[in-house]
Amino acid sequence: MGQRWKKLSRLEERIGYIFRDKSLLYHAMIHSSYVNEHHMQRSDNNERLEFLGDAVLELCSSDFLYREYPDRPEGELTRFRASIVCEPTLARCARDLCLGRYLFLGKGEEIDGGRERDSILSDALEALIGAVYLDGGFANAKEFVFRFVMNDLEHKKLFYDSKTILQELVQKRQEGELSYELTGEEGPDHAKVFRVEALVGEKTVGEGWGRTKKAAEQMAAYKAILRLREKE
């Protein structure tokens, strides 16, 4: 029991928020595989907190964008919000917090690389938002979202729109056709990791990986954009 709370106290230090009800933080970090393996009640996993956190995140991100971009139309704000609350972006935010190391996973999920899986990380981040909301109210949840999710927005938007932006860059430079090539697959069927290269003509301009081919292409495009911009 002591190791568990010591682990969670390090997470509190990382996020700069101390929970009054420590059980909320604990539940936010419990994956369903851990519940199944330890014969706990189904409601002990983080899925209900994730449900709540998803709603809190949408409201907080909408509030931020509404105030930060007063001249942007509704459609553009909707697309911008989608780029922020999508699974790959939330997983990136979770990695910035090293959230994976604080998760309680079943042994099978641990072996299959669950601590780095986008879906698990993004769900855990939403669950953590839900836990902060229940423990400290909307103001604390909003502060958390603004600090850890609504930061570095231009890079997040760039990542979300990376394939479109890269296509436009390649067309402008007229150095060849843009294509994506699958270069490898790793892991069991339920936890595959795909590796993809972004090519301009026959030249590799970016590499990426992900749990789906689309996610791997998105990362490869993002890496390619950063590389091309460095050269400029």
Side-chain angles (χ1 to χ4, degrees):
M1 193 71 170
Q3 285 297 320
R4 174 192 301 170
W5 298 119
K6 187 176 181 181
K7 177 179 181 179
L8 292 175
S9 69
R10 289 197 294 269
L11 176 55
E12 287 180 314
E13 290 175 9
R14 184 170 286 277
I15 66 175
Y17 179 81
I18 305 301
F19 279 79
R20 291 175 292 180
D21 182 353
K22 305 293 185 185
S23 67
L24 285 169
L25 177 57
Y26 176 48
H27 283 132
M29 295 297 103
I30 297 178
H31 186 255
S32 57
S33 62
Y34 186 86
V35 168
N36 295 336
E37 191 172 286
H38 289 78
H39 308 292
M40 300 164 68
Q41 293 185 15
R42 184 177 178 182
S43 59
D44 286 336
N45 66 35
N46 65 5
E47 292 172 3
R48 283 171 53 84
L49 282 173
E50 175 207 337
F51 164 79
L52 179 61
D54 176 67
V56 174
L57 173 60
E58 182 156 336
L59 178 56
C60 290
S61 57
S62 299
D63 178 273
F64 181 93
L65 294 174
Y66 181 85
R67 298 173 189 278
E68 192 73 12
Y69 301 99
D71 300 324
R72 302 281 181 91
E74 179 266 346
E76 188 173 343
L77 291 177
T78 299
R79 289 190 295 273
F80 202 172
R81 183 181 62 198
S83 73
I84 296 162
V85 301
C86 68
E87 182 180 289
T89 307
L90 292 181
R92 178 182 169 188
C93 295
R95 288 190 181 95
D96 289 342
L97 288 170
C98 301
L99 208 56
R101 71 175 60 168
Y102 303 105
L103 293 173
F104 294 91
L105 301 175
K107 291 180 181 177
E109 195 64 64
E110 178 92 51
I111 292 169
D112 287 339
R115 291 190 189 279
E116 285 300 315
R117 187 174 302 165
D118 280 7
S119 59
I120 291 178
L121 288 173
S122 62
D123 289 351
L125 182 65
E126 288 182 331
L128 181 55
I129 293 168
V132 172
Y133 169 74
L134 288 178
D135 189 73
F138 184 72
N140 281 298
K142 183 177 178 180
E143 182 180 347
F144 178 93
V145 170
F146 282 16
R147 182 179 176 188
F148 296 112
V149 181
M150 307 303 293
N151 59 349
D152 199 16
L153 288 185
E154 290 307 313
H155 270 90
K156 287 173 181 171
K157 189 172 186 299
L158 175 63
F159 180 80
Y160 182 77
D161 294 331
S162 58
K163 291 182 71 175
T164 301
I165 294 170
L166 180 59
Q167 182 68 51
E168 292 171 353
L169 280 173
V170 170
Q171 288 176 345
K172 183 179 179 181
R173 295 163 70 99
Q174 296 182 333
E175 294 180 353
E177 291 292 321
L178 173 64
S179 63
Y180 296 91
E181 181 178 323
L182 180 66
T183 58
E185 300 178 21
E186 302 172 10
D189 288 341
H190 67 282
K192 271 197 184 302
V193 174
F194 296 91
R195 296 191 177 277
V196 166
E197 289 184 353
L199 304 166
V200 176
E202 296 183 359
K203 181 181 179 182
T204 299
V205 292
E207 304 84 30
W209 58 90
R211 294 293 178 181
T212 64
K213 292 178 184 177
K214 181 179 178 181
E217 289 176 358
Q218 188 177 31
M219 180 179 285
Y222 176 72
K223 298 280 189 182
I225 293 167
L226 296 181
R227 188 177 296 176
L228 291 172
R229 287 186 173 179
E230 278 181 8
K231 290 181 178 179
E232 293 176 350

